[in-house]
Amino acid sequence: MFVLTFVVSATYMLAVAQGWALDVKGLKFVKTGGIFLRFHPDDAVISVNNRPQKDSRGFLSSDIFLNNLTPKEYEITLHKEGFYPWARKFKVAPGLISSASQIELWPDTLKESPIVSGISDFWVTPLGLVYKDDKGRILFNKDVLRGENVVLASEKSSIIITDSGGNYFLTNLEGDHNVLNLTNLFNSLKQRQLFLPGEVPIKKVFFHPFSSQKILIITDTSLYALDIKKVQLERLLTVDDSIKDASVSNSDVTVLGEEAIISYSLLLKNPSLYPLDITNAVRIGVSSDGNNIILLTKNGSAFDYDKSLDKSDLISENINDFYFSPDKKRAFLVGKDESSKIYYFENFAKDNEYVAHSLVELPIKVEENHNFYWLPGANYGILKSNDSIYAVELDSGSLQSQNYYKLESSVIKFIWSKKLYILKSNGTLFEVEGI
């Protein structure tokens, strides 16, 4: 009897060591699988099918590996006081490991510190915040800047461009905050340096992607580069009809004309024409590497044109807006029916795998006055829908496992710039700590 017991025990331990487990219901050995987890904060409590688990991490590891799991569905939850719980269902397969390595727990109450009150808008620059007060004045360090609206500002540039009465004004926030009438300067240089007669209005302005002393200017028919330091104007591109929209990548400017899409390389200084049907197109966007162009038509049809493949694909119908991810592999889409989707430009494999041109619907309703920002790491985004903001998990694996959390309400505007800034409807701007 002892020998038989020993043999059975030894057989069982050997099977477990080789990744097998006894299926009690089926009374047979099955190949096991596992679940790998990495999360922050790393002291959250983990539960499997509502049963708290003992922390099995080593001294130098912040990861959790649940092994020797029999093949079936498991619900994993993470809890920490002061944070929203995280939950996901995993289907464990024999010999395979499922993973969720980009989990972020979000606070159920934001730690907000007021910065300033009595404002209606704000912008972030490397030298500090710029505000628009309730009197309509644009302020920086208590100085009033010329202009009624900010049309161009960035956390990477000390230059800010405003407009008023059809004129654009450029202010360098460094030094004495000298102001240039950009409209007058542009038209003067156009006539004196380029010998192009007449005055034309500026339609759009962009920061040059790799030259801090240059501004890109779009008029009705042309693209220009203005060197602020040298006070020189260069005409880069002219179309025969008119420019309906434009977008800037890391090295290109892509313009949407009436009959063609043209990308101008700022490095090679030459244009490229793309043969797309743009009859009803009203907007374009370009990924940061310049390879993918999203074309949006008047009726909401969204197309993806891949330059490297010279191929255009219909993404979806009834689209209202889109936002490229920083990894250039995805886009967040907003539907006219208030739906939201993730589109994959190429094969994507992190915790979950998606083939190129996959379109994944999210269970998140996006209402009017929306905005979206992909967070660093690109597994989460901050979404403004109507007057509320949410943290949205983007690589969840399934519609049923989607995690999203309401962070704040009564929000007019938010900006993420290494930290979260929130402007509320009472006119107070807050800085959020701890996320």
Side-chain angles (χ1 to χ4, degrees):
M1 184 68 178
F2 171 77
V3 174
L4 178 60
T5 302
F6 175 78
V7 171
V8 171
S9 298
T11 302
Y12 176 76
M13 287 187 291
L14 180 62
V16 171
Q18 294 179 346
W20 294 82
L22 178 63
D23 183 354
V24 179
K25 290 184 178 180
L27 294 178
K28 61 180 180 180
F29 280 98
V30 293
K31 188 72 172 176
T32 61
I35 299 174
F36 173 83
L37 302 169
R38 179 179 293 153
F39 48 88
H40 178 267
D42 59 10
D43 60 346
V45 177
I46 181 172
S47 296
V48 179
N49 295 337
N50 295 319
R51 295 180 179 178
Q53 299 295 299
K54 183 179 180 181
D55 195 332
S56 60
R57 286 174 288 192
F59 177 69
L60 298 177
S61 175
S62 60
D63 305 334
I64 290 282
F65 180 51
L66 305 172
N67 59 355
N68 295 326
L69 300 177
T70 56
K72 63 179 182 179
E73 186 175 80
Y74 294 85
E75 182 174 29
I76 307 296
T77 56
L78 296 170
H79 297 270
K80 179 177 171 62
E81 186 176 354
F83 292 79
Y84 284 107
W86 178 92
R88 183 181 297 180
K89 292 181 179 179
F90 293 84
K91 288 185 178 180
V92 171
L96 299 178
I97 297 174
S98 299
S99 69
S101 63
Q102 306 174 81
I103 304 170
E104 187 75 31
L105 299 187
W106 291 86
D108 53 22
T109 303
L110 297 181
K111 296 179 181 178
E112 301 173 346
S113 300
I115 299 174
V116 64
S117 298
I119 69 170
S120 60
D121 208 344
F122 74 101
W123 301 266
V124 177
T125 78
L127 300 178
L129 297 171
V130 175
Y131 316 108
K132 185 174 184 179
D133 68 9
D134 49 14
K135 297 178 181 179
R137 301 176 302 176
I138 299 173
L139 304 173
F140 175 71
N141 288 345
K142 297 183 179 180
D143 291 339
V144 179
L145 304 183
R146 190 170 180 182
E148 298 174 357
N149 301 289
V150 173
V151 296
L152 190 64
S154 169
E155 61 180 11
K156 298 179 181 180
S157 177
S158 62
I159 290 173
I160 189 167
I161 296 179
T162 58
D163 73 342
S164 177
N167 285 313
Y168 284 71
F169 299 94
L170 185 150
T171 303
N172 192 335
L173 299 178
E174 292 182 320
D176 297 329
H177 308 165
N178 292 326
V179 181
L180 287 174
N181 187 318
L182 184 61
T183 302
N184 289 346
L185 175 64
F186 163 71
N187 279 293
S188 175
L189 294 177
K190 182 177 70 69
Q191 295 176 46
R192 290 190 294 107
Q193 294 182 355
L194 303 181
F195 306 104
L196 297 173
E199 295 189 356
V200 296
I202 295 175
K203 201 170 184 177
K204 210 166 188 178
V205 289
F206 297 96
F207 288 115
H208 195 287
F210 52 82
S211 178
S212 61
Q213 65 186 38
K214 291 183 179 180
I215 296 292
L216 299 172
I217 296 174
I218 302 287
T219 65
D220 191 49
T221 60
S222 298
L223 164 67
Y224 298 86
L226 172 62
D227 190 314
I228 301 166
K229 189 173 182 180
K230 296 180 180 179
V231 196
Q232 291 182 350
L233 184 67
E234 180 182 8
R235 184 164 64 168
L236 307 178
L237 177 71
T238 297
V239 300
D240 294 332
D241 36 59
S242 66
I243 297 175
K244 295 193 287 184
D245 196 17
S247 182
V248 178
S249 68
N250 290 339
S251 59
D252 300 337
V253 183
T254 302
V255 300
L256 173 64
E258 296 287 349
E259 299 180 353
I261 288 179
I262 305 170
S263 282
Y264 183 88
S265 172
L266 297 169
L267 290 171
L268 302 177
K269 293 189 175 295
N270 68 286
S272 298
L273 184 69
Y274 295 100
L276 301 176
D277 181 6
I278 60 171
T279 308
N280 297 312
V282 292
R283 183 183 166 196
I284 58 169
V286 183
S287 59
S288 58
D289 65 352
N291 184 64
N292 291 90
I293 300 173
I294 289 183
L295 183 69
L296 191 62
T297 66
K298 189 180 299 183
N299 62 7
S301 297
F303 295 88
D304 165 31
Y305 179 73
D306 189 311
K307 291 183 183 178
S308 62
L309 300 177
D310 189 21
K311 186 175 181 291
S312 179
D313 293 286
L314 175 66
I315 299 175
S316 182
E317 302 283 3
N318 205 33
I319 297 299
N320 182 48
D321 208 349
F322 57 86
Y323 302 85
F324 283 95
S325 69
D327 61 12
K328 303 163 291 193
K329 298 179 180 180
R330 295 169 287 173
F332 181 83
L333 307 176
V334 178
K336 291 185 176 182
D337 57 357
E338 301 184 339
S339 63
S340 58
K341 304 176 177 70
I342 300 292
Y343 175 73
Y344 293 82
F345 293 104
E346 57 187 71
N347 293 337
F348 183 88
K350 283 195 176 178
D351 291 327
N352 301 287
E353 295 186 4
Y354 305 90
V355 299
H357 312 303
S358 294
L359 188 65
V360 178
E361 187 170 351
L362 304 178
I364 304 162
K365 185 178 180 181
V366 183
E367 299 178 287
E368 294 182 358
N369 303 316
H370 61 262
N371 190 22
F372 183 80
Y373 181 82
W374 291 83
L375 292 174
N379 188 45
Y380 288 88
I382 301 292
L383 169 69
K384 180 180 181 294
S385 177
N386 204 353
D387 66 347
S388 297
I389 57 172
Y390 302 82
V392 182
E393 186 180 39
L394 301 171
D395 183 21
S396 67
S398 72
L399 191 65
Q400 291 73 30
S401 295
Q402 192 73 34
N403 290 284
Y404 61 100
Y405 317 96
K406 186 174 182 178
L407 300 179
E408 190 56 278
S409 57
S410 301
V411 176
I412 295 176
K413 179 179 180 179
F414 79 89
I415 292 179
W416 181 282
S417 177
K418 299 179 181 178
K419 63 180 69 174
L420 181 61
Y421 298 94
I422 297 174
L423 175 59
K424 293 190 178 180
S425 57
N426 63 2
T428 302
L429 177 65
F430 293 88
E431 175 182 314
V432 179
E433 303 171 0
I435 61 172

